Amino acid sequence: MKSGKNILTLWVCVAALTGLGGCATKVYQLKPVSGEVAQIDGRSITKAEQDGIVVVASFERLDLQYVALDIEVKNKTDHPFDVNPADFQYTALDKDQHTVFITNSSPQKPLMFSAADPIREADQTGYNQEREVKRIKRAKVINTVLLVAAVASDVASSSSRSNQRPERWVQNRITHNNIYSAIQAKRMIDHGLFADRMQRYDYEAYRWKELSLKPTTLQPGQSVRGLVYLPMSREAKNMLVNYPVSDYESIMITFQQDWVNAKKGRN
């Protein structure tokens, strides 16, 4: 009987870890709820226009700390139009589409976020990569110094073995073996952190240089497309995305943000 209870307990644990139990996996969902919304290839896409400037937008993915929107800007005017992805911003709204205000702010200020500037972010990523290279070089120097000191200490203690009691010699061996192991562990940690960070920075460099919408000047009839990265806020149930097209007019699109249960596959 006790064995049966153990098996049942094990099954509950496995089910919980694999998603077969009652704890459903939550996935991020963002969909447009304003403008001319259409379903294309299973994706919700919206279009809004103001003063001859058209913005077509859809949710691409949740990318680290950013909400990535697939944005296309079209110039239907008779004059050039400057596009800057950093001009995109959004105001956080609650479930009733009322403005969310910053807590403990006096006077009250709306909770707003600006899109990442791909040029500045690319420069920062390059700086971060250079900093990591310098950091691993310093770590290598330190590890070398530690190893040389450990070897010198080991040689000195071994050469005086004849003057040591056996238990003292054994303790020295254990101590130095632990030192060698610690130095090796530090080397592995240093290189592991370097590889992980550089892998992330390589992706970020690719994201800002290849995927993101770039600042450009659109001539009449031209369009440009790319990803716009907005900081993700859990306080927002809706996002009122704003893009200025003049000193007085803006294109506004509302997205509904939510975490929903992932669809269960067939067992």
Side-chain angles (χ1 to χ4, degrees), residues 28 47 56 71 123 131 148-149 174 210 234 239 246 249:
Y28 182 78
K47 181 176 72 172
V56 180
I71 298 289
D123 291 341
R131 184 182 59 186
V148 170
I174 294 174
E210 303 297 335
R234 289 182 176 271
M239 298 165 54
S246 69
E249 300 292 343

Side-chain angles (χ1 to χ4, degrees), residues 5-18:
K5 290 183 178 179
N6 291 339
I7 294 175
L8 179 60
T9 302
L10 178 61
W11 165 248
V12 171
C13 293
V14 173
L17 292 172
T18 58

Side-chain angles (χ1 to χ4, degrees), residues 6 10 21 44 67 110 129 133 139 151 161 165 176 179 191 215 217:
N6 291 339
L10 178 61
S44 295
V67 175
Q129 290 174 318
V133 171
V151 170
R161 175 180 179 183
R165 293 191 302 272
H176 284 90
I179 292 174
H191 285 275
T217 298

Side-chain angles (χ1 to χ4, degrees), residues 150 153-154 156-161 163-180:
S153 174
D154 194 3
S157 62
S158 298
S159 62
S160 60
R161 175 180 179 183
N163 300 325
Q164 296 180 11
R165 293 191 302 272
E167 60 271 18
R168 178 66 176 172
W169 183 85
V170 171
Q171 183 59 47
N172 282 337
R173 289 272 23 95
I174 294 174
T175 299
H176 284 90
N177 287 339
N178 288 339
I179 292 174
Y180 291 138

Side-chain angles (χ1 to χ4, degrees), residues 30-49 55-59 97 252-256:
L30 188 74
K31 58 182 180 181
V33 291
S34 71
E36 301 177 22
V37 181
Q39 294 291 324
I40 300 177
D41 296 330
R43 173 183 294 191
S44 295
I45 298 176
T46 187
K47 181 176 72 172
E49 181 175 350
V55 170
V56 180
S58 64
F59 171 61
Q97 296 193 12
M252 295 188 178
I253 300 173
T254 303
F255 285 85
Q256 185 182 74

Side-chain angles (χ1 to χ4, degrees), residues 12-202:
V12 171
C13 293
V14 173
L17 292 172
T18 58
L20 298 176
C23 298
T25 302
K26 296 288 187 177
V27 295
Y28 182 78
Q29 184 181 79
L30 188 74
K31 58 182 180 181
V33 291
S34 71
E36 301 177 22
V37 181
Q39 294 291 324
I40 300 177
D41 296 330
R43 173 183 294 191
S44 295
I45 298 176
T46 187
K47 181 176 72 172
E49 181 175 350
Q50 184 69 48
D51 293 347
I53 302 301
V54 180
V55 170
V56 180
S58 64
F59 171 61
E60 180 68 18
R61 61 176 170 270
L62 189 61
D63 194 328
L64 300 177
Q65 75 272 35
Y66 292 106
V67 175
L69 298 182
D70 185 351
I71 298 289
E72 183 178 9
V73 181
K74 301 178 181 180
N75 183 7
K76 296 172 62 177
T77 70
D78 58 359
H79 56 270
F81 178 74
D82 293 329
V83 176
N84 186 354
D87 289 340
F88 279 88
Q89 62 179 11
Y90 76 89
T91 303
L93 307 178
D94 61 19
K95 63 179 180 179
D96 297 319
Q97 296 193 12
H98 296 152
T99 301
V100 176
F101 292 92
I102 300 175
T103 307
N104 300 327
S105 174
S106 182
Q108 284 190 315
K109 297 180 180 179
L111 186 59
M112 301 180 66
F113 300 88
S114 296
D117 184 337
I119 304 300
R120 185 174 60 188
E121 294 296 335
D123 291 341
Q124 180 63 41
T125 300
Y127 168 77
N128 291 339
Q129 290 174 318
E130 293 176 359
R131 184 182 59 186
E132 286 304 317
V133 171
K134 293 179 181 178
R135 181 178 296 170
I136 193 64
K137 288 181 178 179
R138 287 196 301 268
K140 289 180 179 179
V141 172
I142 293 173
N143 293 337
T144 300
V145 172
L146 291 174
L147 183 59
V148 170
V151 170
S153 174
D154 194 3
V155 170
S157 62
S158 298
S159 62
S160 60
R161 175 180 179 183
S162 59
N163 300 325
Q164 296 180 11
R165 293 191 302 272
E167 60 271 18
R168 178 66 176 172
W169 183 85
V170 171
Q171 183 59 47
N172 282 337
R173 289 272 23 95
I174 294 174
T175 299
H176 284 90
N177 287 339
N178 288 339
I179 292 174
Y180 291 138
S181 297
I183 294 174
Q184 179 62 20
K186 182 180 180 303
R187 289 182 67 254
M188 294 176 64
I189 292 173
D190 290 338
H191 285 275
L193 287 175
F194 175 75
D196 289 343
R197 289 170 177 170
M198 290 301 288
Q199 184 177 29
R200 170 167 175 167
Y201 292 146
D202 286 343

